Amino acid sequence: MKILITNASLDTSSGTEIVARDLAQAIARAGHTPIVFSGTLGAIAEELRATGIQVTDNLAQIDAAPDIIHGHHHQPLMEALLYFPETPAIYLSHDGSSIVDEPIYFPRIRRYFAVDERCRNRILQTIGPAAGEVSLMLNAVDLDRFLPRAPLPERPRRALLFSNHARNDTYLPAVRKACARAGIPLDVMGSGTGTASSTPEKGLPSYDLVFAKARCALEAMATGCAVILCDFAGAGAYVTAATFDEMRRKNFGRALLTQPIKAEVLLREIQRYDPADAAAVSQRVRSEAGLEEAAKQWLAIYADILDDFSLHMIDRKAEGHAASLYIGRWHSLQRITWEKDQAARLKRIPMIGNFVHRTGVRLLRRFSSDSSL
């Protein structure tokens, strides 16, 4: 099969970029032909190209229509659906609130999937019965990349805060304070502190305890680190074998970050450190969340959709209505996206950035219909 994967960005090493990269590579290893399309290309795009996978920001560069579209993010997915009018698609939701992950309806999106229950609920609330049965496709990790570390020590000797959102003006100080009280040195890996790594698998084995969420947490668990769920949205719990199933269905993500990010909250979770239980969690990840098995599931889904799609006529009138509604819904949001970008740029001004940002946001809110600015 020839599978077109869409993603909003293929630049930095973050959530969906890594998912798109890993899935494309696994599909290629399985003997199929992945192509990845995004409007923003960068380091992840170059990494894929280095392995021989076609990456493009121009659909006209694809020499023949794909068999199926694996859609992340509504804008590149809609572009692909309209450019390849005979090709069916699936849609996979990765975020319960992000504007780029807003679910859309289009007749040739044959099935909808979500990485966790929060994303599934968003699809059902946004699209309703037309979405059909929305299945969970839980995140997976490349087990050949994230190899098992040596057994954990009885007490944690080094800790890592693994997130692009960790900065001195977000939640980094609270994590530092908790680790200082526990007598554990803390490092940070993420773009917020200029310490992002394109090869986190090389650094993770050096740490015993990792503060992370979602995909970062899953990668740390696969390596064998003990994990405490944590990010700018809040603090979560220490991951145990007993809570693994429930937490994975929530993608170790935002729905589990229900506690305030305070040193005393994090210190309580640090004190639950258990090397034997962390080893059991790691074994669960390595037996149930491998990338190769996930790719096999996707390929089986693609085949089923293509078999079913061949039996149905394409409803051009319904597609035209859906495309019209999409344009009407999202055209005005292009301006909002620009406004948010300008607000972010203001905040990066040295010394006076926060003040200028607050002033700028107040002005933008006065003329914008978007309450999230």
Side-chain angles (χ1 to χ4, degrees):
M1 287 181 285
K2 185 176 183 179
I3 301 113
L4 176 63
I5 301 169
T6 71
N7 211 70
S9 172
L10 290 172
D11 189 7
T12 58
S13 297
S14 59
T16 57
E17 286 91 339
I18 300 303
V19 172
R21 179 200 69 187
D22 287 358
L23 178 61
Q25 292 176 341
I27 287 172
R29 287 194 293 269
H32 299 271
T33 304
I35 302 170
V36 190
F37 167 63
S38 173
T40 303
L41 305 184
I44 298 298
E46 292 308 311
E47 186 176 347
L48 281 166
R49 284 170 173 160
T51 64
I53 293 172
Q54 183 180 359
V55 180
T56 184
D57 59 0
N58 182 356
L59 293 169
Q61 294 177 349
I62 300 174
D63 57 8
D67 296 303
I68 193 166
I69 301 166
H70 180 112
H72 302 162
H73 306 137
H74 61 81
Q75 182 170 325
L77 171 57
M78 183 59 83
E79 288 184 54
L81 283 165
L82 295 179
Y83 194 88
F84 297 110
E86 309 294 327
T87 303
I90 65 94
Y91 176 79
L92 174 62
S93 174
H94 291 270
D95 193 286
S97 59
S98 169
I99 191 171
V100 299
D101 240 315
E102 177 83 8
I104 59 169
Y105 172 74
F106 197 81
R108 265 185 293 121
I109 301 177
R110 308 302 292 180
R111 287 189 64 185
Y112 290 81
F113 298 88
V115 299
D116 61 21
E117 293 170 345
R118 186 166 173 260
C119 293
R120 178 165 65 182
N121 290 338
R122 187 184 191 188
I123 293 172
L124 292 172
Q125 291 167 6
T126 303
I127 298 177
E133 181 181 354
V134 180
S135 301
L136 290 183
M137 283 294 287
L138 305 177
N139 270 332
V141 61
D142 188 342
L143 300 178
D144 292 329
R145 184 185 291 259
F146 292 89
L147 299 173
R149 54 155 290 155
L152 291 170
E154 287 303 309
R155 289 178 52 81
R157 296 169 298 194
R158 297 182 67 195
L160 176 70
L161 179 48
F162 186 18
S163 171
N164 288 330
H165 301 294
R167 301 191 308 269
N168 286 324
D169 62 346
T170 58
Y171 66 108
L172 175 54
V175 181
R176 283 201 188 281
K177 188 174 181 179
C179 287
R181 288 183 182 179
I184 308 169
L186 177 73
D187 293 331
V188 184
M189 185 187 297
S191 59
T193 54
T195 56
S197 172
S198 61
T199 55
E201 66 274 12
K202 294 182 180 179
L204 282 171
S206 300
Y207 298 95
D208 309 314
L209 181 64
V210 175
F211 298 86
K213 75 169 178 68
R215 184 174 186 83
C216 292
L218 192 66
E219 292 169 348
M221 284 181 259
T223 304
C225 306
V227 172
I228 294 173
L229 300 181
C230 183
D231 205 67
F232 70 93
Y238 179 85
V239 181
T240 67
T243 59
F244 178 82
D245 287 327
E246 178 186 358
M247 287 184 166
R248 192 176 178 218
R249 286 180 65 83
K250 292 179 169 60
N251 195 32
F252 307 102
R254 187 172 297 186
L256 297 167
L257 306 181
T258 58
Q259 299 297 313
I261 303 179
K262 296 183 177 179
E264 55 268 29
V265 173
L266 296 170
L267 183 59
R268 181 186 66 218
E269 299 304 320
I270 291 173
Q271 292 167 346
R272 298 177 63 194
Y273 174 84
D274 182 337
D277 193 72
V281 168
S282 183
Q283 183 57 42
R284 289 289 304 277
V285 173
R286 301 195 71 82
S287 63
E288 301 173 21
L291 174 64
E292 301 303 320
E293 183 58 35
K296 289 179 183 178
Q297 292 179 39
W298 279 122
L299 289 167
I301 289 168
Y302 302 154
D304 286 345
I305 288 172
L306 289 173
D307 286 344
D308 178 70
F309 186 69
S310 66
L311 303 176
H312 294 83
M313 295 287 291
I314 297 174
D315 189 338
R316 298 300 184 196
K317 184 175 181 180
E319 290 195 357
H321 288 167
S324 177
L325 290 172
Y326 177 84
I327 292 169
R329 166 80 172 96
W330 292 101
H331 181 268
S332 63
L333 290 180
Q334 299 303 315
R335 173 178 56 81
I336 293 171
T337 300
W338 176 86
E339 290 168 351
K340 288 183 175 181
D341 181 65
Q342 303 316 300
R345 288 171 183 269
L346 290 174
K347 196 170 185 178
R348 291 196 291 267
I349 298 173
M351 301 299 291
I352 62 170
N354 286 332
F355 170 77
V356 176
H357 172 261
R358 288 193 296 269
T359 303
V361 166
R362 282 197 296 269
L363 291 172
L364 288 173
R365 279 175 176 164
R366 181 176 300 177
F367 300 104
S368 174
S369 61
D370 184 41
S371 60
S372 68
L373 277 168

